[in-house]
Amino acid sequence: MEFRFNFSCDLEEKDGTNSTNTCSVEEKTEKLEDFQELFSSKLDNKILSQFHQSSYKFCNVDISCYKCEDIEQWIVENNSAEESVVKSAAASHSDLLPAVYEGGLTVWECGCDLAEFISGEGIDFRGKSVIELGCGAGLPGICAMKCGAEQVYFQDYNSEVISYFTIPNVQLNETTCQCRFFSGDWGEFQKYARNQPDMRFDYILTAETIYSSENYPKLHSLLETLLKVDGKIFLAAKSHYYGVGGGTRLFEDFITKEENFTYESVKVMEASDVINRQRLSNDD
């Protein structure tokens, strides 16, 4: 099995908004979000019709996505749940509350980079099975859907992100693809998946998921479990994440020591602030 890394970072998102390469981080807590499968959005069509949409074009693939700002505002104003992680993050003015909220309501640069890459490389997704880990908006996974994948599964740490953001976006770009949705900690997901023979994938997509080196063992074990013997992984990330410490260099070192994957950097995007985005992939 082999990896390819290929993301560094641009400072502009595809919809033209500026972003920074740092994120604010709150102190880590011990309680992890429970693993679960989710089946439907928490938002009906009447509510969704009030939200603005962003349009993305990745090579020849057009994708629509609900504005994350509208989703967040609706949750803050209307979700009465005491344990809403989105409300907690909004109250803290933080992009990241480790082990509580992992930034899933932001369209991060590397997710756009990964979607652009897989739509432009001529990858034949027809009839293939795909999973996107740490999906958030789900742009790379939706790209795979629109490129003919037979199955695309989506996973994010937070159930709120899946229910309020990922599922509505997938429905907005609906195809005949079979989709399933999961949330929760990677360790619990791995325990579930290892006993499910159908949870093996031709392609694993993941972007902006290696910012915390503490999670590398969990991610590595999950990748081993989910990937078919002849499967490929495409990972997009920044070379370094200020404030949290991870990045492509540290992850390359980690997977080299584990000796279970080979990898190559397939594309590097230079950024004006010297933080680069890379894409990694694993090939035969």
Side-chain angles (χ1 to χ4, degrees):
M1 290 185 285
E2 191 189 355
F3 258 117
R4 286 195 243 179
F5 278 103
N6 101 326
F7 290 117
S8 315
C9 287
D10 294 337
L11 298 180
E12 296 246 337
E13 291 190 16
K14 290 288 177 178
D15 62 357
T17 59
N18 289 326
S19 63
T20 64
N21 290 298
T22 59
C23 58
S24 53
V25 183
E26 296 291 319
E27 266 190 47
K28 188 171 182 177
T29 63
E30 294 301 319
K31 188 179 184 307
L32 299 175
E33 183 152 333
D34 293 334
F35 167 77
Q36 59 182 309
E37 182 171 3
L38 299 120
F39 299 95
S40 61
S41 170
K42 294 285 184 70
L43 302 172
D44 59 31
N45 289 334
K46 183 177 180 181
I47 295 172
L48 289 170
S49 67
Q50 303 171 26
F51 299 154
H52 297 92
Q53 297 176 17
S54 296
S55 297
Y56 298 85
K57 189 173 186 65
F58 303 112
C59 294
N60 61 341
V61 178
D62 295 308
I63 292 178
S64 296
C65 175
Y66 289 108
K67 285 278 190 180
C68 48
E69 298 87 352
D70 292 353
I71 301 285
E72 180 181 296
Q73 183 178 348
W74 191 93
I75 293 173
V76 169
E77 294 176 353
N78 296 279
N79 188 351
S80 59
E82 292 183 5
E83 297 186 357
S84 168
V85 298
V86 172
K87 291 172 72 173
S88 296
S92 301
H93 304 288
S94 178
D95 301 308
L96 177 64
L97 303 175
V100 177
Y101 171 71
E102 298 288 345
L105 277 185
T106 299
V107 177
W108 296 100
E109 302 98 334
C110 291
C112 293
D113 293 340
L114 183 53
E116 181 80 19
F117 178 77
I118 63 173
S119 61
E121 286 296 302
I123 300 169
D124 188 3
F125 285 106
R126 291 174 298 177
K128 302 297 185 181
S129 57
V130 179
I131 187 167
E132 183 183 354
L133 300 177
C135 60
L139 299 182
I142 293 170
C143 252
M145 280 172 44
K146 292 205 160 189
C147 289
E150 182 176 333
Q151 297 176 328
V152 179
Y153 293 179
F154 296 84
Q155 182 276 338
D156 196 89
Y157 182 75
N158 295 117
S159 60
E160 275 186 283
V161 170
I162 292 287
S163 297
Y164 288 98
F165 197 31
T166 314
I167 294 178
N169 284 339
V170 170
Q171 292 173 336
L172 192 60
N173 296 274
E174 191 170 1
T175 67
T176 59
C177 180
Q178 177 193 347
C179 297
R180 293 173 69 183
F181 304 90
F182 301 90
S183 68
D185 177 61
W186 281 335
E188 294 304 309
F189 188 21
Q190 192 268 340
K191 290 177 185 177
Y192 166 80
R194 69 188 181 191
N195 297 316
Q196 304 292 324
D198 61 328
M199 297 289 287
R200 304 293 181 268
F201 299 91
D202 298 299
Y203 292 99
I204 298 175
L205 310 175
T206 188
E208 306 275 25
T209 52
I210 58 170
Y211 51 84
S212 173
S213 59
E214 291 183 10
N215 289 323
Y216 290 178
K218 286 182 182 180
L219 177 58
H220 187 273
S221 294
L222 183 58
L223 294 172
E224 281 190 286
T225 297
L226 295 178
L227 192 65
K228 289 183 178 180
V229 173
D230 57 349
K232 293 184 179 181
I233 301 165
F234 290 97
L235 182 152
K238 298 180 177 73
S239 59
H240 182 73
Y241 290 88
Y242 289 118
V244 282
T248 55
R249 303 295 180 264
L250 275 180
F251 193 62
E252 286 173 330
D253 291 343
F254 180 85
I255 60 176
T256 297
K257 291 175 183 177
E258 292 295 315
E259 298 183 338
N260 292 317
F261 294 105
T262 59
Y263 67 88
E264 68 173 309
S265 177
V266 295
K267 188 171 183 181
V268 177
M269 279 88 76
E270 300 292 335
S272 59
D273 66 349
V274 191
I275 294 188
N276 297 325
R277 294 197 295 267
Q278 277 185 275
R279 297 186 196 99
L280 292 198
S281 105
N282 89 309
D283 284 336
D284 299 332

